[in-house]
Amino acid sequence: MATVDMLLNVAMDFRNGFVRLCYSSQMESMKEEYLKTVRAKLEEMSKYLGDKPWFAGNEITFPDFHFYEMFDQHREFHPQLFDGLDNLKAYMDRFEALPVPFGLIRFGVAPDHPEVKNVINQFTTLALTDRCRFIGNINIGTDININQLRSYYNGVVLAYGAEEDKTMGIKGEDSYGVFSARSFVSWYNGLPGYENLNLNLSSGDTAVIIGQGNVALDIARILLTPLDTLKETDICSHAVDALSFSKIKKVIMVGRRGPLQVAFTIKELREMTKLPQCKTMIKHKDMLPYKDIISELPRPRKRLTELMLKTSSDGRDISNDDNVLELLFCRSPMEIIARNEITKGIKLEINELIEDANGGNTTAVGSGEYETIDCSMVLRSIGYKSRNIDPEIPFDEKLGIINNSKGRVVNNGTTINGLYCSGWVKRGPTGVILTTMNDAFETAGSIIEDNKNGMLPSSNTARDILNDIKGFEPVLFEDWLKIDEEEKRRGELVGKPREKIVSVLEMLQIIKNNKN
């Protein structure tokens, strides 16, 4: 008990120091010295934590929640503070391991696309059979390593996606007002740890999105959709509250190349063109060069380009009352224009498009001409990358994928029997849901073939993984159903399909309450 009290005092002193800095009128001049001091404190905490899962030992205690909250805030404040402190990073990962299923469907699909989320019903049917077992709230690589996990099963499939962002690598990118698409999507979809994302929605009327894919269109739609429409979806209440103060009326989606290279699909663009109180602006002069070649394009690209041409205009039909989505082509981000580290605009280089000799790939080449757009927010939607969660996994750091052949994990040319991968961590963060489905079918086919040929290793079926792994609180599917029930109950009270719970601690408390 004395140890817990001591840790609580340390955590509260840590918090009070940060609060004093944040509320000081001299914050900017004090920041550099504070970063030096707090780094030294973090190094001491790292040394004290050592290889323990929690600060007081093998069991989580009350101070851990204070430590995690302060670590998370400092990670947002200055991410480099944790460089080299791997055990503190693992400590935060341990807190953030999710106790709920459905991954991308729950935390990635836009709240106004409920029809896509209906696949949850099929997953639930499968999860309730005795052939399937869900274990949540466990972090692979820290709570249990890959080799341990493999000892319990004949086969292990790594399908953990891509949870890190690609950056633009330009001056001013760390300014306040620059956010990743992943963070923004996680914020409105209720991924634990993102509910307090400090977005500056009320400091300007223009947001710029770098990227022209479906995720970029999702973000634009959330920013420009009438609030009363969003309130009827499962978007999180903290997002609705923040969006109610939003002054964003114009979103500009910027792409490096031209109209024929956009990555979004026709469904998402058509949906945007029908958004109430919003106009989609594509300059007519940008589409005219492609008018005569549309008939020669492959069918999906042909239909998309036809819609873009039909949507294009000179902008004279846009009134001051309209929200606006503008598509801007052949531009590359060069610099975030900031004042006092707060985003005020973005500098873009105008590109020229160069086709290779065979008429295949089209490359964007800078022209040396520049322009600046005034904006208060920049969202980069230029892709994701996977990370290696265990040193035993043969991972290609450059490509950001697990080395594999048809889903079979390969190390130095040798197949690791019984270890597989699927999805973005297998082939990279590209494609749509159908692409990922076909990818999964290929991996499943490899598993079936290996099983038929006797290539799967044996497992110790006499042992139960839940009895052997210590230091975490596993969440099973029947536990998730209690969380699901509570979310739907809260949603019904406010006329929504559900109100997502964004606190892992609250999720675990609901499970405990239902077991008592």
Side-chain angles (χ1 to χ4, degrees), residues 355-423:
E355 286 193 9
D356 65 22
N358 298 320
N361 294 331
T362 301
T363 305
V365 178
S367 68
E369 295 183 39
Y370 302 91
E371 63 183 12
T372 299
I373 297 175
D374 293 333
C375 62
S376 57
M377 180 186 291
V378 175
L379 295 128
R380 61 174 184 266
S381 183
I382 56 176
Y384 304 89
K385 59 181 180 180
S386 301
R387 65 183 181 90
N388 196 2
I389 60 172
D390 190 296
E392 295 300 318
I393 298 173
F395 194 81
D396 187 320
E397 295 289 350
K398 184 177 181 180
L399 297 177
I401 61 173
I402 295 171
N403 295 324
N404 74 93
S405 174
K406 295 185 177 180
R408 298 179 179 92
V409 175
V410 176
N411 188 20
N412 293 324
T414 302
T415 299
I416 302 177
N417 290 339
L419 189 59
Y420 304 88
C421 59
S422 188

Side-chain angles (χ1 to χ4, degrees), residues 230-251:
L230 287 178
K231 286 179 179 178
E232 297 176 356
T233 72
D234 69 353
I235 190 172
C236 292
S237 58
H238 63 254
V240 171
D241 292 342
L243 288 166
S244 68
F245 294 98
S246 175
K247 293 181 180 178
I248 301 293
K249 287 188 64 64
K250 185 174 186 178
V251 175

Side-chain angles (χ1 to χ4, degrees), residues 338-354:
R339 187 164 59 247
N340 297 325
E341 299 185 356
I342 298 174
T343 298
K344 297 298 180 181
I346 184 169
K347 180 181 178 181
L348 304 172
E349 182 173 17
I350 301 171
N351 296 328
E352 297 174 352
L353 298 182
I354 308 296

Side-chain angles (χ1 to χ4, degrees), residues 41-239:
K41 288 182 180 179
L42 290 172
E43 289 174 356
E44 291 176 8
M45 293 177 190
S46 174
K47 186 175 180 180
Y48 182 87
L49 179 64
D51 59 2
K52 300 189 299 291
W54 308 108
F55 271 98
N58 289 327
E59 299 296 328
I60 191 170
T61 58
F62 186 63
D64 285 301
F65 294 98
H66 288 283
F67 279 119
Y68 167 72
E69 182 180 7
M70 294 313 300
F71 291 164
D72 187 47
Q73 289 177 9
H74 279 75
R75 178 170 53 181
E76 289 291 325
F77 182 62
H78 194 75
Q80 293 76 19
L81 279 172
F82 292 89
D83 287 353
L85 304 180
D86 293 341
N87 64 338
L88 293 188
K89 292 179 182 177
Y91 176 84
M92 288 186 278
D93 286 344
R94 197 170 295 118
F95 249 101
E96 294 163 358
L98 297 174
V100 294
F102 306 130
L104 185 63
I105 299 298
R106 179 178 169 92
F107 297 118
V109 174
D112 56 346
H113 283 175
E115 72 285 353
V116 179
K117 300 186 181 189
N118 287 337
V119 71
I120 284 178
N121 298 329
Q122 294 173 268
F123 289 151
T124 298
T125 300
L126 176 64
L128 291 173
T129 68
D130 57 8
R131 297 180 64 195
C132 182
R133 187 187 200 189
F134 169 77
I135 305 174
N137 205 38
I138 178 171
N139 202 49
I140 307 300
T142 51
D143 294 326
I144 182 173
N145 63 45
I146 287 296
N147 287 337
Q148 287 176 303
L149 189 63
R150 293 181 64 209
S151 71
Y152 290 91
Y153 302 100
N154 301 105
V156 170
V157 181
L158 303 167
Y160 58 84
E163 60 181 66
E164 294 186 355
D165 310 297
K166 290 182 179 178
T167 59
M168 296 180 287
I170 61 175
K171 181 181 177 182
E173 191 170 359
D174 57 351
S175 301
Y176 175 63
V178 180
F179 303 95
S180 69
R182 182 183 61 82
S183 296
F184 190 79
V185 172
S186 298
W187 170 74
Y188 66 65
N189 268 333
L191 182 65
Y194 288 88
E195 64 273 19
N196 295 318
L197 189 65
N198 187 17
L199 297 165
N200 52 335
L201 294 168
S202 59
S203 55
D205 64 0
T206 301
V208 171
I209 303 174
I210 304 299
Q212 293 183 333
N214 282 340
V215 174
L217 272 180
D218 281 347
I219 292 171
R221 203 171 59 255
I222 294 298
L223 286 171
L224 298 174
T225 294
L227 200 61
D228 287 342
T229 301
L230 287 178
K231 286 179 179 178
E232 297 176 356
T233 72
D234 69 353
I235 190 172
C236 292
S237 58
H238 63 254

Side-chain angles (χ1 to χ4, degrees), residues 21 27-38:
L21 173 73
M27 177 180 174
E28 287 304 319
S29 61
M30 296 167 60
K31 182 177 177 180
E32 185 175 350
E33 184 60 32
Y34 177 81
L35 290 175
K36 292 178 183 177
T37 304
V38 78

